[in-house]
Amino acid sequence: MERYRELRRLVHDPFLLLLVTLVFALLALFIVYPLVRVLATSLFYRGEFNPKYFLQFFERRYLIRPFLNSLTVGGLVALLGTIIGFAFAYAVTRTDIPGKSVFKVIATFPIISPPFLIALAAILLLGNHGLITEFLRTRFGIDWDIYGLPGLVLTETLAYFPLAFMTLEGVLSGIDPALEESALDLGASRLRTFFKVTLPLATPGIASALLLVFIRSLEDFGNPIVIQGHYPVLTTQAYLAVTGMYNLPLAATLSVILLVPTLLAFVLQRYWVSRRSYVTVTGRPTPSSLKATTPGLKWGLFGVLCVLSGIILLFYGLVFYGSLTRMWGLDNTLTLENFRYVFSTGLAYLLDTLKIAGMATPIGGILAVVIAYLVTRKRFPGRGLMDFLSMLNFAIPGTIVGIGYILAFHNPPFRLTGTAAIIALVFIFRRMPVGIREAVAMLQQVDPAIEEAAVDLGAGFARAFRRIVLPLISPAFISGMVYIFVRCVTAISAVVFVVSAQWQLITVALLHEVDNADLSQAAAYGVVIIVVVLGVILLLDNVLGKLILRRWQRAR
Amino acid sequence: MPVEVRLQGLTKVFHSHREAVVAVDHLDLEVEKGELVTLLGPSGCGKTTTLRLVGGFEIPTAGEVYLGGKRVTHLPPQRRDTATVFQSYGLFPHMTVFENVAFGLKVRRLPREEVRRRVREALRLVNLEGLERRYPRELSGGQQQRVALCRALVIEPRVLLFDEPLSNLDAKLRVETREQIRKLQKELGITSLYVTHDQAEAMAISDRIAVMNEGRLQQIGPPYEIYAHPANRFVADFIGRANFLRARVVGSADGKLAVELAGGVRLEVPAVAGFEPGTEAVAVVRPEAVDILPEGEGDVTATVVFGHYTGSLATYKLALPSGEDLEVEVLSPQEKGFLPEGTRVGVRFHRQSIHLLEE
Ligand SMILES: Nc1ncnc2c1ncn2[C@@H]1O[C@H](COP(=O)(O)OP(=O)(O)OP(=O)(O)O)[C@@H](O)[C@H]1O
Ligand SMILES: [Mg+2]
């Protein structure tokens, strides 16, 4: 009865009805349909049920090896990344080391830049023609390079420990230092306090960090494709199955195999670990406990942080330096030639990237805000489903999304291959969840009576949304757009499948240069990417953000 | 008078955490044109939910809502001719006072001149002239409240809905503002549904009060009626204070009932339909409907168990010979002297004020 009434009421709010229908249609077409195609392709062959690659899973090395490799890398990276993340978080929340804000900024570098820049830097240093590799070879006659497991673990750890850091920083700063202080007051030693109080309280957070980093590592495509050597992982194998063998059933099967551990970890993190959190959110920042650490520990941590930050800075510095050399490893004389190349031959890629980002950013931003509003504030049949579907791609590796898009949009009726639209769509539907989350969080701060008043006074959905809701959550709207834009310029794992001769992306161009062993030009692309990202973050966040925000902040 | 709001079998069930909460339970209610009806009841009894069902913010599980004779159950808020004064005001924080009040008029696409004229007029009505350019956060609580009222009034809705509009104001301002709201409401003749859990507020402002408990309507009537003739124990207890004394009807004659209280006191009280001689009943005795006299006078002798003095009022707890307690309020205790514990006194019941309820 109530359901039926919800439905009837929609009819009297035509714009809302239209919007709900449209959103569902989009979610079905661009999220559900590609996934269904991947699953179907892995299970059916020539129209018959024939999951042949699943059946051969344990017999074929090209199936089982990448799977085990992925798990190995994921496990090691999760472990190391969480340890480093914990060290950073502990140092920042529980000691008074100098330069905390510098460490925090450095830790965000890998998050906002394309993660595979780290792999590029690692190669500049330790690859075939790396600085250290050459040094070892010429001075000691040792022939060693970083490709394979060591390279994967090194680069992914550096790329993804910031995620653990941010998660744990939140957790540790949520633990009231009074708890630790009272343990100390009761006579417990510092070590005992750490192991009996701090660590147990942080355990759910640590588990969360482990799982999140594990997922990221499994999903990672950019670092493995650069540095995996003869150590194939699932994402790269799936990519090669498509581009090298044009074996879509194999690619689909590999990506479904990838989906299993990632989804498992996601569900565990989301529904089990995060429920176990002891952290109490009081809304007022607690002063950090400085008593609980000894000077020795404090300066020890400081040293560790300096070394790690130093490595990150060194890596980014190397990319910058590499971009100014003629031919890395062979001819290291300085030149601006690479940038001339990037801005002539590579200009088309840069422009394509910007055009596509220019399409995806506003559309994704608006869609995210609209969906957030619909699911938090509106009643209509299927609201829970909309919430679930819109967040689905958050839990799904880009590789599957990319393969799904090839399968779904290669043939009529939805023929999109070769267009800019397909690339933009990948970005929109993959990155939207972050925008939705931010908008939901912000909407929860806004008194529902405010929009209810608008509707009550006669405003239809469109007006209430545009005049009331949007201005009130514009900060989330803007940061959602910044996020989408940044990802357009830096992401690779899904879009690598849908780029074409007509539409290329700068990240893909960078990979091609690595493939051609032209590391200097690759580095030049990397520098351009970083400059664009930083420029846009500063521009959108400050200029545009302030412009839109001014009125609202004045009112607050 | 025509009926402006009619609720018919209105029911709302919320489902949260697999548990169903019946917030409103088969509610029937009518509000006449120009009338102010208050929904009064304890916290969680479903007042806000009822109001939101009328405004269109919730969809009823069953039952219908009629406004001005038309069924509107299926219409969203923007298609209903109601305007709400929200408990938290819901002012648009990014708009000035003027823009807030003008919002509903602009939605209606009125010419700009008329919008300006009506906004100014409405602001004058609630004494807010000169604050047009302020933002909500630059106003005091009382001023914000009046902007919310003004914003609802200006669109001249068929029905005004108030959800505890005064709960964020201090006690003194609350009294002032409720008088102002009542005055405006009467002058403009706006049909209103008003939610509060403050019985003094309800008594002061309403034409009729609808008392609710656990989603159900307990009684509806003018304040006097509700106080003097509560329909059941809940209403008697919730509105004002009440003693409940065991009683038995022993006879009836020309509009009076003879009752015998436990302990043997016999009284003649106003007749209430449905009481035959011989039935057991409960006598509702208001604390102020009792006189305290010197020992030996009055209907019965009692002992002071406990006394409480607040200046204008003294409250005593007396032990009756039946073993029952009797709460008594004495006005201007200065004149009569404060009675210490253990004092034996005579008690006289005001016959006219005693109301019988079924056991
Ligand atoms: N959105 C909701 N979801 C679930 N339960 C709800 C919801 N809104 C109200 N309820 C429940 O319905 C019942 C009635 O709530 P309502 O807000 O109408 O009470 P009220 O009479 O206005 O109380 P108060 O005086 O405290 O404002 C309560 O038990 C409440 O918990
Ligand atoms: Mg309420």
Side-chain angles (χ1 to χ4, degrees):
Chain A
M1 180 68 175
E2 220 175 309
R3 289 276 141 157
Y4 167 72
R5 286 186 157 168
E6 275 180 12
L7 207 63
R8 276 204 58 191
R9 184 170 287 196
L10 269 185
V11 177
H12 290 271
D13 204 344
F15 192 81
L16 181 62
L17 177 65
L18 192 78
L19 207 63
V20 169
T21 318
L22 183 72
V23 169
F24 268 120
L26 291 174
L27 296 178
L29 188 58
F30 295 113
I31 291 180
V32 180
Y33 179 55
L35 282 178
V36 171
R37 288 301 302 267
V38 174
L39 275 177
T41 308
S42 70
L43 295 173
F44 292 87
Y45 189 67
R46 292 178 195 269
E48 282 180 24
F49 183 73
N50 180 9
K52 60 173 177 176
Y53 293 112
F54 285 116
L55 296 176
Q56 297 170 358
F57 180 69
F58 293 102
E59 293 146 35
R60 302 288 174 175
R61 276 175 59 78
Y62 61 83
L63 288 168
I64 185 96
R65 241 195 83 192
F67 177 71
L68 295 178
N69 289 354
S70 277
L71 290 187
T72 310
V73 176
L76 288 172
V77 170
L79 196 66
L80 286 173
T82 303
I83 292 173
I84 296 176
F86 190 87
F88 264 73
Y90 192 85
V92 167
T93 56
R94 287 294 188 273
T95 69
D96 56 352
I97 54 163
K100 281 184 192 177
S101 53
V102 177
F103 289 127
K104 280 195 197 180
V105 170
I106 291 176
T108 57
F109 279 9
I111 291 183
I112 59 167
S113 67
F116 50 82
L117 270 199
I118 299 204
L120 177 61
I123 287 182
L124 295 177
L125 203 59
L126 302 155
N128 256 332
H129 299 289
L131 290 180
I132 294 180
T133 325
E134 295 280 1
F135 177 75
L136 290 175
R137 193 179 298 141
T138 49
R139 287 293 284 275
F140 301 101
I142 302 172
D143 215 357
W144 179 86
D145 59 45
I146 187 94
Y147 298 99
L149 183 62
L152 286 169
V153 173
L154 172 72
T155 54
E156 291 186 15
T157 300
L158 285 178
Y160 299 126
F161 88 86
L163 193 63
F165 166 45
M166 287 179 175
T167 308
L168 290 166
E169 190 196 357
V171 170
L172 285 180
S173 59
I175 296 174
D176 191 344
L179 294 173
E180 289 157 335
E181 275 161 15
S182 52
L184 287 174
D185 286 343
L186 292 171
S189 70
R190 290 198 165 96
L191 205 62
R192 205 180 155 80
T193 302
F194 178 79
F195 281 105
K196 292 283 175 194
V197 179
T198 316
L199 212 51
L201 285 174
T203 301
I206 293 171
S208 209
L210 277 169
L211 290 168
L212 288 173
V213 176
F214 179 71
I215 295 172
R216 285 298 180 87
S217 164
L218 283 189
E219 292 176 351
D220 193 10
F221 172 79
N223 287 307
I225 198 75
V226 172
I227 212 166
Q228 71 176 24
H230 298 294
Y231 197 84
V233 293
L234 284 169
T235 49
T236 50
Q237 278 311 95
Y239 174 68
L240 293 176
V242 173
T243 54
M245 316 176 218
Y246 210 71
N247 185 344
L248 283 168
L250 175 60
T253 309
L254 284 166
S255 62
V256 172
I257 292 171
L258 170 65
L259 183 61
V260 174
T262 28
L263 264 193
L264 217 63
F266 179 77
V267 170
L268 218 59
Q269 195 273 330
R270 188 85 185 261
Y271 297 101
W272 186 64
V273 176
S274 55
R275 290 267 162 86
R276 251 146 242 268
S277 169
Y278 304 109
V279 172
T280 47
V281 179
T282 50
R284 79 193 138 79
T286 42
S288 56
S289 163
L290 308 177
K291 271 203 275 176
T293 48
T294 59
L297 179 61
K298 176 181 141 187
W299 293 111
L301 277 172
F302 182 69
V304 171
L305 262 56
C306 281
V307 170
L308 284 164
S309 304
I311 292 177
I312 295 173
L313 286 181
L314 171 73
F315 273 31
Y316 282 93
L318 269 175
V319 172
F320 190 68
Y321 173 52
S323 72
L324 296 172
T325 60
R326 202 164 286 280
M327 191 70 186
W328 184 264
L330 303 175
D331 178 1
N332 280 3
T333 51
L334 293 183
T335 173
L336 282 174
E337 188 57 30
N338 300 308
F339 287 98
R340 224 179 55 96
Y341 174 81
V342 167
F343 286 110
S344 55
T345 314
L347 188 63
Y349 306 145
L350 180 60
L351 290 181
D352 280 2
T353 305
L354 292 178
K355 278 183 213 158
I356 288 167
M359 276 193 272
T361 302
I363 297 176
I366 289 173
L367 202 56
V369 177
V370 167
I371 292 178
Y373 179 67
L374 289 177
V375 299
T376 45
R377 291 290 167 84
K378 288 288 157 186
R379 301 264 333 248
F380 53 87
R383 187 178 60 147
L385 184 68
M386 181 183 287
D387 190 21
F388 173 76
L389 290 182
S390 62
M391 298 305 283
L392 195 58
N393 269 358
F394 198 66
I396 289 176
T399 305
I400 302 185
V401 177
I403 292 174
Y405 270 62
I406 316 183
L407 290 168
F409 305 116
H410 188 61
N411 295 314
F414 308 117
R415 193 178 155 76
L416 289 172
T417 25
T419 61
I422 192 171
I423 305 176
L425 286 165
V426 167
F427 283 129
I428 292 169
F429 287 94
R430 238 175 95 59
R431 302 307 172 179
M432 200 172 57
V434 171
I436 294 179
R437 275 205 191 168
E438 288 201 24
V440 165
M442 193 128 196
L443 273 170
Q444 281 163 350
Q445 311 282 313
V446 176
D447 181 2
I450 292 173
E451 340 136 25
E452 284 179 358
V455 178
D456 195 43
L457 293 169
F461 176 85
R463 182 188 284 259
F465 187 78
R466 209 159 40 91
R467 292 262 175 254
I468 310 296
V469 180
L470 208 52
L472 293 186
I473 60 168
S474 54
F477 179 48
I478 290 165
S479 74
M481 288 204 296
V482 170
Y483 177 80
I484 293 174
F485 189 94
V486 167
R487 283 304 169 227
C488 286
V489 184
T490 61
I492 183 113
S493 67
V495 282
V496 72
F497 292 97
V498 294
V499 292
S500 53
Q502 295 86 10
W503 292 93
Q504 269 292 359
L505 292 176
I506 190 166
T507 44
V508 182
L510 189 158
L511 282 191
H512 284 319
E513 297 303 339
V514 175
D515 226 23
N516 298 340
D518 197 332
L519 298 183
S520 299
Q521 274 171 16
Y525 277 119
V527 170
V528 171
I529 291 175
I530 291 180
V531 169
V532 170
V533 166
L534 286 181
V536 165
I537 288 181
L538 292 180
L539 186 83
L540 275 180
D541 234 20
N542 287 315
V543 183
L544 190 59
K546 286 208 179 95
L547 228 71
I548 298 178
L549 289 189
R550 203 168 46 206
R551 214 167 124 86
W552 157 230
Q553 265 160 3
R554 198 159 39 122
R556 212 170 6 196
Chain B
M1 273 291 178
V3 173
E4 283 284 31
V5 183
R6 188 149 70 86
L7 311 183
Q8 201 177 64
L10 201 61
T11 301
K12 178 70 188 181
V13 182
F14 288 109
H15 299 275
S16 54
H17 309 287
R18 290 204 205 122
E19 167 194 32
V21 180
V22 184
V24 180
D25 195 356
H26 293 92
L27 188 74
D28 295 310
L29 185 75
E30 291 186 349
V31 183
E32 290 177 357
K33 194 170 167 63
E35 195 184 23
L36 190 153
V37 170
T38 298
L39 297 177
L40 177 64
S43 183
C45 72
K47 308 176 296 281
T48 299
T49 307
T50 306
L51 203 73
R52 291 174 60 80
L53 286 164
V54 178
F57 300 109
E58 304 282 357
I59 300 175
T61 312
E64 305 288 349
V65 178
Y66 297 85
L67 292 179
K70 277 215 314 263
R71 196 165 66 89
V72 297
T73 322
H74 55 290
L75 293 180
Q78 69 268 30
R79 305 274 304 271
R80 297 187 183 193
D81 202 359
T82 58
T84 309
V85 180
F86 293 90
Q87 182 168 15
S88 57
Y89 310 147
L91 299 179
F92 309 133
H94 57 308
M95 294 186 186
T96 60
V97 168
F98 182 91
E99 290 167 323
N100 263 280
V101 178
F103 186 86
L105 299 174
K106 285 187 186 156
V107 169
R108 284 165 177 69
R109 299 182 195 286
L110 296 186
R112 192 194 283 219
E113 257 322 300
E114 190 180 346
V115 171
R116 202 169 304 157
R117 187 178 54 75
R118 278 173 66 173
V119 171
R120 215 172 283 141
E121 202 175 305
L123 285 172
R124 192 176 46 75
L125 223 47
V126 296
N127 305 325
L128 280 176
E129 304 126 299
L131 300 183
E132 287 90 345
R133 289 156 174 279
R134 298 258 192 106
Y135 282 90
R137 55 139 204 173
E138 298 166 343
L139 301 176
S140 72
Q143 289 166 334
Q144 289 177 10
Q145 205 281 335
R146 279 180 281 155
V147 176
L149 175 63
C150 184
R151 189 177 65 174
L153 276 176
V154 75
I155 62 168
E156 298 175 0
R158 187 181 278 279
V159 181
L160 254 184
L161 305 174
F162 295 89
D163 188 2
E164 311 218 11
L166 309 180
S167 60
N168 290 325
L169 305 180
D170 65 44
K172 190 155 169 285
L173 201 54
R174 220 159 26 220
V175 173
E176 273 174 41
T177 313
R178 85 183 181 209
E179 279 162 9
Q180 198 188 9
I181 289 180
R182 177 59 165 165
K183 189 161 153 274
L184 268 174
Q185 184 268 336
K186 269 191 166 161
E187 273 172 22
L188 305 173
I190 310 168
T191 313
S192 307
L193 197 55
Y194 189 106
V195 162
T196 180
H197 64 258
D198 178 341
Q199 49 150 314
E201 191 176 316
M203 299 293 257
I205 205 171
S206 317
D207 290 307
R208 287 191 300 154
I209 297 176
V211 183
M212 290 179 70
N213 189 33
E214 295 183 346
R216 267 177 295 231
L217 183 64
Q218 303 293 318
Q219 184 176 7
I220 179 162
Y224 166 80
E225 192 56 35
I226 300 265
Y227 189 77
H229 305 296
N232 56 37
R233 217 173 155 127
F234 173 82
V235 176
D237 204 25
F238 187 72
I239 310 288
R241 306 179 70 90
N243 297 288
F244 298 103
L245 301 181
R246 275 175 289 128
R248 202 158 56 83
V249 181
V250 293
S252 75
D254 40 82
K256 301 253 185 236
L257 288 173
V259 297
E260 187 179 296
L261 300 182
V265 184
R266 273 184 176 244
L267 307 166
E268 289 213 317
V269 303
V272 181
F275 286 95
E276 308 274 314
T279 44
E280 297 289 325
V282 174
V284 179
V285 179
R286 298 293 186 185
E288 72 279 7
V290 174
D291 289 330
I292 292 188
L293 307 169
E295 185 179 2
E297 294 176 33
D299 301 317
V300 65
T301 304
T303 314
V304 176
V305 179
F306 174 76
H308 176 82
Y309 174 73
T310 59
S312 64
L313 212 63
T315 308
Y316 298 106
K317 194 162 111 183
L318 307 181
L320 292 174
S322 64
E324 290 167 310
D325 285 336
L326 184 70
E327 197 181 295
V328 180
E329 276 174 5
V330 179
L331 266 174
S332 334
Q334 290 78 349
E335 295 164 20
K336 294 158 196 158
F338 187 68
L339 301 170
E341 280 170 30
T343 316
R344 292 179 61 77
V345 293
V347 168
R348 209 183 75 82
F349 297 101
H350 297 189
R351 272 66 177 161
Q352 279 302 321
S353 305
I354 289 179
H355 178 72
L356 288 189
L357 291 176
E358 280 170 37
E359 177 56 87

